[in-house]
Structure formats: structure tokens, C-alpha cells
């Protein structure tokens, strides 16, 4: 039963990959070449309401949510900080504290989700292999705070 | 046989004279990104196989079997068959030869099983050689020969490994980084060993310029000695310091300064060249025998060394030099008028995000050069291909008859770790999803892949091709 539920929850994501232009959903693209983003990692993860909503609207429900930001900060420390630095100013990865973005779509939440989930060039790995999409939204909410202050 | 080969090389070199391609003479001749290779070749990376745990090297056995051997950092070697299938059971599994646990130290991301090299007569004698960081020896580099059982060509099990192991060399490693790693038989039949400077940063031992340590060197040894010989290998007669430290009577008069300079009482006879920081990958051009070294740089530049076939005893400058600049870099090298070049310059170099301390950041470079091999196909003539560990860029280095050209051929989402050749002479490469800052351990990082470099217009239909930045 539990399994079935999870599978059902996964369906929207699977559909999004198969039919990226679905009317009610966001068309996610791979950062490097603009091809449809394949949702192929960690296929047994729980698709939370936040993720489901993000897939539909492209807006991060965790934006400004203090609890999610705190979780996101923990993830950032563990997985991102080494390259983007504690204050987000960047070393191996680009500066995340300003409004200048290195890629065409990373100025948007959808674009940032795409590069974090599916990877960019070289060291910007596909973190969708290492964490669930829900955690990606939390870490996105955290990196927003770099630009807020 | 070996001597004859050497002599032929020397004659060929002399015949070429000044026209021969060689290392640049001045820093401004060192190629940088932005060049164009002769014919401007276009390449693609076609996936051969997937699912390797931190693959960090690759080789073929040269026995006509078409097998490709992928080296996994944790201590295993996996066989990829000609049809692309990957054998479940490893060819060699160093995690199981020692009942007390893995024999390989993998605690730091630069440590592990570095490389495998097959004896030129592997098909007859079954000998192959590995270089790895040893856990029992606290990370020292072990170079060990094993011998395949002809009855079991695809699996060297723990008993067979322990029963045939012959330790050739143990390189003491003071620190856990810069271990070099590549071992490879040259066209002369000798085993070349890439040995890093021992680690930390800045070469605390001054190993690069110290001929009494095997660290920060390319070593060359003759493995073809009887198993009951006193030493597990011999020194080729024409190693540059083969006799430099041998005992002799002191003669002070009637000797030239040049002759005095050949006496190096503390030099190691294994040394082939010196002054390298971390020659983690090198390759021989299968057509010419020339050597390329992907010399991993420190904070600011990656460098690629060219060494004409059979050229012994060169000093590549580390730690006096970092690429074409004096080390340590303190500011913009254009304003440093006191720097004079030590040793032989690299053929090419590319920058990190900051090409010198205080420079404006720029993300067109990389962080760590990982050599693949020399391509002699697809319009490429002696083009050394390499990839960057961070930026996913692939570079080609070639000579246009006048000077070196370093061209960025593509930017991918792959973190390249090494390369080699398949039996048909195609250049192959591996990428791993490990990194200093995101290392979850050699058995837990997302799996890496094996790729073949093919001309862009020869990509087979339906092939999985590495995605590139458009």
C-alpha cells in the first residue's frame, strides 16, 4: 500500500519528464543543452506537496519559510559550501549573492532547480542524485537569503 | 631490442634537428586556451559503459581480447568487454586480498587504486602491475605485479593475487595528497611511474629539485629481471642518473666542469625526469613515442608537459616554477621582472578561476588537469586530449608545425578523472562523481562512466553522447 502511494505520487514527475510541455506544469530543461530535464534520480523518493506544487507553478513554496530555510542551511553547509563558500560568494562555483547569473535560466527559481537537480558544467554535479527534490527546494530557499541581505 | 629502439629514436631526433616539435623556449610560447588545432577537429564523447565506483583510470591489456580495464578507486578493476558489457566479478579486488580489510587506503579522495599497466608481453606471461595507496603502509604507494592464471583470464581471485604478488616498489608518502599514480609501459618496454611531490602544498620537502627522493619525479625501471634476482627490477643503462651516484675514486684534475656536474652522489638511479608536482596522468603518443604529462598545478595554473620520445633527465621546474611562472606566485606575473625560468617549460597551460593572487575571477578555466591520451585519428595528428576535473572542459593540445595550440574542444557536465586507450588506439576517458568537497566515500558516490572519443561526424546511431554546453 505504502509503495503504491509513493508510485502514484511519483507519476506527476514521471509525466513531466515524458511530456515536458504538459499544460499545467513547468517545462524543466537540462542546464547544459536545454533538452527536457529527465527526472531519473532517486525514483523512490517522496514527492511532497511542496515539490508537487513547484512542478506546477515554478514557485518555491519554501521561500521565506524559516523552518525550511534552517533545514536548507544545514544541507548547504554539507553539500554546497565548499564550492560556493559559507557566505555564498563562491570559489569553485560562482557567486550566489548577486543578481548576475552564469547561465541563461539560473536567474529564475526553475533554472536554479534545474542546475541543482540535473547538474551544470563539471563540478556542479547533479545533486538530484544525492538528495530528494524536497531538500533541493529547501536549499534554494536558503540560498535566496544571500540575496535578501 | 630495447637498446636498438633507443638508438633509432636518437637518430630520428637528430635528423629532425631544429624542426622537431619540442618544449617552448620562452614563457610567451607556452600555449594557452584560445588556440586552434590544425584542421579544427570536432569530437564527441560516446558512452561505452556506466556504473563504476569512482573510476579513476583505464587501460587495455594489449592481448587482442578487446577488453577495457576500468580502475575503481576503492581497489577493484572491472572488465568492460568488447560489446560494452561489464563483468560482475572484478578482474582484481584488492578489497578482499587482506583478511584484515581493504588493502587500499581510500580515506582521502586522492587516495586509492591509481592505475594498472599490462606487461608488453602480457598475452604470454600474464603479468600486470598496479599502483595503489596502501592502508597497512599508511598510504605509501605500492607498485605490485600480479600474474593472471591462464585458466581464469577474467578473474584474479584473492588466492591467486596473494600467490603471485611481487612488490616492486614502495614509495613513502608523507601526506595524503599528490600521489601521482599513473604507471605505464613506454614504447621502450620500460615501466614509467608518475610520482607526486608527497603532498600538502608548496612542496614542503622541496622534493621537486631533490634527486635523493623518488617524490616529484617520473621514474623509469626495467621490470624484466628474474624473480630470484636481488632487486625486483633493474635500472636501464640510459637512465639519466643510472651511474651518477655510484662509488668511485675522487679525481680533481683533468676533469671538466661538465664531468663534475654528472656526479650526483645522492641521486636515485630510477629517476627519468624531475621537478613535477603531481603527474597523476601521462601518456605516450602511440605513433611517435613522445610523452605528454598532465601535470596538476597548485592554486593558479594547470600545465601540460611535452617530452620528445627518449629525452631523459629534464627538470620541469616545480617548485621553482608553476607552469610558466615563478612559484610562489605573489601577484600579476606580468609585473614580476625578477623571475627567470628554471628547467623546461610546459607546452601548454590553462588557468584556474584566478590566474594569480588578487586577479579578477574568471570561470573559463579549470582546477585540475586529467590526461586522456594522444589521438591520431579523426583529423587529429598527435593531439593530446585531456579533461578538467571541475569545469568539465575537454582540451586538445597539438603542434601546428610552428607552435603549440591549446584548444577547448567542448564543455561537459562531467568530472574527468583519467583516460587511456582501447586496443584500437582510440582515446577513452573516465569520469567520477567524487570531489574533495562532496566525497561520500569510494563506494557511495554516484557512479561514474567510461567514454570513447570519436570524431563528431562518426557518432554511431543511438549512442549515448556526453551532453555539452551549447
Amino acid at each position: 500500500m505504502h509503495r503504491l502511494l509513493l508510485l502514484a505520487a511519483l507519476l506527476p514527475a514521471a509525466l513531466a519528464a515524458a511530456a515536458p510541455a504538459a499544460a499545467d506544469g513547468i517545462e524543466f530543461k537540462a542546464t547544459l543543452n536545454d533538452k527536457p530535464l529527465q527526472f531519473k534520480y532517486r525514483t523512490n523518493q517522496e514527492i511532497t506537496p511542496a515539490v508537487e506544487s513547484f512542478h506546477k507553478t515554478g514557485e518555491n513554496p519554501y521561500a521565506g519559510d524559516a523552518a525550511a530555510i534552517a533545514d536548507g542551511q544545514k544541507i548547504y553547509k554539507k553539500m554546497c559550501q565548499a564550492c560556493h563558500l559559507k557566505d555564498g560568494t563562491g570559489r569553485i562555483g560562482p557567486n550566489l549573492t548577486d543578481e548576475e547569473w552564469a547561465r541563461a535560466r539560473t536567474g529564475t527559481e526553475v533554472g536554479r532547480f534545474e542546475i541543482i537537480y540535473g547538474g551544470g558544467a563539471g563540478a556542479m554535479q547533479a545533486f538530484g542524485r544525492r538528495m530528494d527534490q524536497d531538500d533541493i527546494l529547501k536549499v534554494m530557499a536558503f540560498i535566496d537569503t544571500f540575496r535578501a541581505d | 631490442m630495447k637498446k636498438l629502439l633507443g638508438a633509432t629514436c636518437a637518430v630520428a631526433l637528430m635528423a629532425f634537428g631544429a624542426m622537431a616539435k619540442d618544449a617552448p623556449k620562452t614563457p610567451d610560447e607556452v600555449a594557452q586556451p584560445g588556440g586552434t588545432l590544425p584542421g579544427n577537429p570536432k569530437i564527441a564523447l560516446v558512452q561505452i559503459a556506466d556504473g563504476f565506483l569512482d573510476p579513476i583510470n583505464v587501460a587495455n591489456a594489449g592481448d587482442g581480447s578487446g577488453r577495457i580495464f576500468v580502475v575503481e578507486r576503492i581497489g577493484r578493476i572491472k572488465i568492460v568487454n568488447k560489446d560494452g558489457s561489464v563483468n560482475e566479478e572484478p578482474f582484481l579486488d584488492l578489497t578482499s586480498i587482506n583478511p584484515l580489510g581493504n588493502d587500499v587506503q581510500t580515506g582521502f579522495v586522492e587516495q586509492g587504486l591509481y592505475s594498472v599497466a599490462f606487461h608488453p608481453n602480457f598475452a604470454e606471461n600474464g603479468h600486470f602491475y598496479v599502483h595503489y595507496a596502501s592502508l597497512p603502509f599508511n598510504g605509501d604507494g605500492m607498485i605490485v605485479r600480479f600474474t593472471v592464471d591462464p585458466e581464469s583470464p577474467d578473474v584474479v581471485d584473492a588466492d591467486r593475487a596473494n600467490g603471485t604478488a611481487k612488490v616492486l616498489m614502495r614509495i613513502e608518502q608523507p601526506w595524503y595528497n599528490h600521489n601521482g599514480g599513473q604507471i605505464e609501459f613506454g614504447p621502450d618496454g620500460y615501466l614509467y611511474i608518475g610520482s607526486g611531490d608527497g603532498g600538502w602544498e608548496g612542496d614542503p620537502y622541496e622534493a621537486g629539485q631533490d634527486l635523493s627522493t623518488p617524490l616529484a619525479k617520473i621514474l623509469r625501471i626495467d621490470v624484466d629481471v628474474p624473480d630470484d634476482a636481488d632487486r625486483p627490477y633493474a635500472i636501464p643503462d640510459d637512465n639519466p642518473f643510472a651511474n651518477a651516484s655510484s662509488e668511485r675514486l675522487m679525481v680533481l684534475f683533468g676533469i671538466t666542469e661538465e664531468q663534475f656536474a654528472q656526479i650526483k652522489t645522492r641521486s636515485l638511479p630510477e629517476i627519468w625526469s624531475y621537478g613535477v608536482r603531481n603527474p597523476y596522468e601521462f601518456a605516450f603518443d602511440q605513433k611517435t613515442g613522445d610523452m605528454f604529462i598532465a601535470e596538476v598545478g597548485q592554486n593558479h595554473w594547470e600545465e601540460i608537459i611535452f617530452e620528445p620520445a627518449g629525452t631523459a633527465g629534464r627538470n620541469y621546474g616545480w617548485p621553482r616554477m608553476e607552469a610558466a611562472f615563478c612559484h610562489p606566485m605573489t601577484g600579476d606575473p606580468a609585473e614580476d621582472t625578477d623571475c627567470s625560468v628554471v628547467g623546461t617549460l610546459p607546452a601548454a597551460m590553462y588557468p584556474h578561476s584566478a590566474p594569480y593572487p588578487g586577479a579578477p575571477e574568471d570561470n573559463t578555466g579549470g582546477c585540475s588537469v586529467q590526461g586522456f591520451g594522444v589521438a591520431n585519428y579523426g583529423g587529429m595528428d598527435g593531439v593530446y586530449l585531456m579533461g578538467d576535473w571541475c569545469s568539465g572542459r575537454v582540451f586538445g593540445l597539438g603542434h601546428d608545425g610552428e607552435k603549440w595550440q591549446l584548444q577547448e574542444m567542448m564543455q561537459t557536465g562531467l568530472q574527468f578523472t583519467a583516460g587511456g586507450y582501447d586496443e584500437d588506439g582510440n582515446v577513452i576517458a573516465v569520469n567520477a562523481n567524487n570531489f574533495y568537497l562532496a566525497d561520500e566515500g569510494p563506494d557511495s558516490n554516484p557512479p561514474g562512466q567510461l567514454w570513447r572519443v570519436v570524431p563528431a561526424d562518426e557518432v554511431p546511431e543511438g549512442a549515448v553522447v556526453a551532453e555539452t554546453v551549447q
Side-chain angles (χ1 to χ4, degrees), chain B residues 332-381:
Chain B
D332 185 347
E335 286 158 22
D336 178 6
T337 47
D338 293 339
C339 172
S340 55
V341 171
V342 173
T344 302
L345 287 164
M349 58 187 181
Y350 68 81
H352 294 196
S353 55
Y356 56 86
E361 299 268 329
D362 170 354
N363 67 355
T364 56
C367 80
S368 181
V369 63
Q370 316 287 317
F372 301 166
V374 182
N376 283 302
Y377 57 91
M380 293 175 282
D381 182 13

Side-chain angles (χ1 to χ4, degrees), chain B residues 191-211:
Chain B
L191 186 68
Y192 288 73
I193 299 158
S195 177
D197 68 6
W200 205 331
E201 290 302 337
D203 193 2
Y205 271 7
E206 293 276 331
Q209 302 299 310
D210 178 354
L211 296 175

Side-chain angles (χ1 to χ4, degrees), chain B residues 2 117-121 125 127-129 143-145 166 168-169 183-185 188-193 220-227 229 231-236:
Chain B
K2 279 172 181 163
F118 292 82
H119 191 280
N121 293 327
N125 62 24
H127 296 327
F128 66 98
Y129 302 78
I143 297 173
V144 184
R145 185 190 82 182
K166 174 184 175 186
L168 267 62
M169 194 184 281
I183 58 172
E184 180 127 14
F185 285 92
D188 50 17
Y190 296 131
L191 186 68
Y192 288 73
I193 299 158
R220 185 177 80 153
I221 59 174
D222 182 354
V223 300
D224 288 326
V225 297
D227 283 349
R231 286 153 81 29
Y233 57 83
I235 301 297

Side-chain angles (χ1 to χ4, degrees), chain B residues 147-164:
Chain B
T147 307
V148 171
D149 176 355
E151 301 293 307
S152 172
D154 280 351
V155 179
V156 178
D157 68 17
D159 288 343
R160 179 74 186 178
N162 282 315
T164 61

Side-chain angles (χ1 to χ4, degrees), chain B residues 15 29 44 54 80 120 172 203 208 223 227 256 258 333 344 368 407 429 433-434 448:
Chain B
E29 290 171 23
D54 280 13
V80 181
E172 274 186 33
D203 193 2
V223 300
D227 283 349
T256 65
E258 197 189 3
T344 302
S368 181
Q407 181 175 352
N433 290 295
N434 60 10

Side-chain angles (χ1 to χ4, degrees), chain B residues 21-22 24 29-32 35-39 41 285 292 304 306 347-348 373-376 379-386 395-409:
Chain B
K21 64 177 179 185
D22 203 343
E29 290 171 23
V30 176
Q32 295 193 35
T36 307
L37 294 167
D285 183 334
F292 288 87
I304 304 99
F306 172 79
V374 182
N376 283 302
M380 293 175 282
D381 182 13
V383 172
Y384 185 54
L385 296 167
M386 69 227 100
F395 294 97
L397 171 65
H399 198 269
D400 66 9
E402 253 169 55
K403 55 183 192 309
W404 291 100
Q405 298 283 352
L406 182 67
Q407 181 175 352
E408 182 182 327
M409 314 209 46

Side-chain angles (χ1 to χ4, degrees), chain B residues 51-128:
Chain B
F52 305 101
L53 296 178
D54 280 13
I56 60 167
N57 221 319
V58 61
N60 74 73
D63 62 350
S65 66
R67 295 175 297 175
I68 294 172
F69 295 77
V70 175
V71 174
E72 294 183 326
R73 184 162 78 87
I74 195 165
R76 297 192 185 98
I77 299 176
K78 299 299 276 289
I79 290 181
V80 181
N81 297 298
K82 214 162 179 168
D83 63 2
S85 60
V86 183
N87 290 359
E88 183 83 30
E89 215 174 328
F91 173 66
L92 180 73
D93 185 1
L94 296 177
T95 72
S96 75
I97 64 165
N98 184 333
L100 299 182
N102 193 351
D103 212 55
V104 182
Q105 168 63 280
T106 60
F108 183 58
V109 70
E110 286 183 28
Q111 294 176 306
L113 171 56
Y114 307 122
S115 55
V116 59
F118 292 82
H119 191 280
N121 293 327
F122 171 75
E124 285 92 62
N125 62 24
H127 296 327
F128 66 98

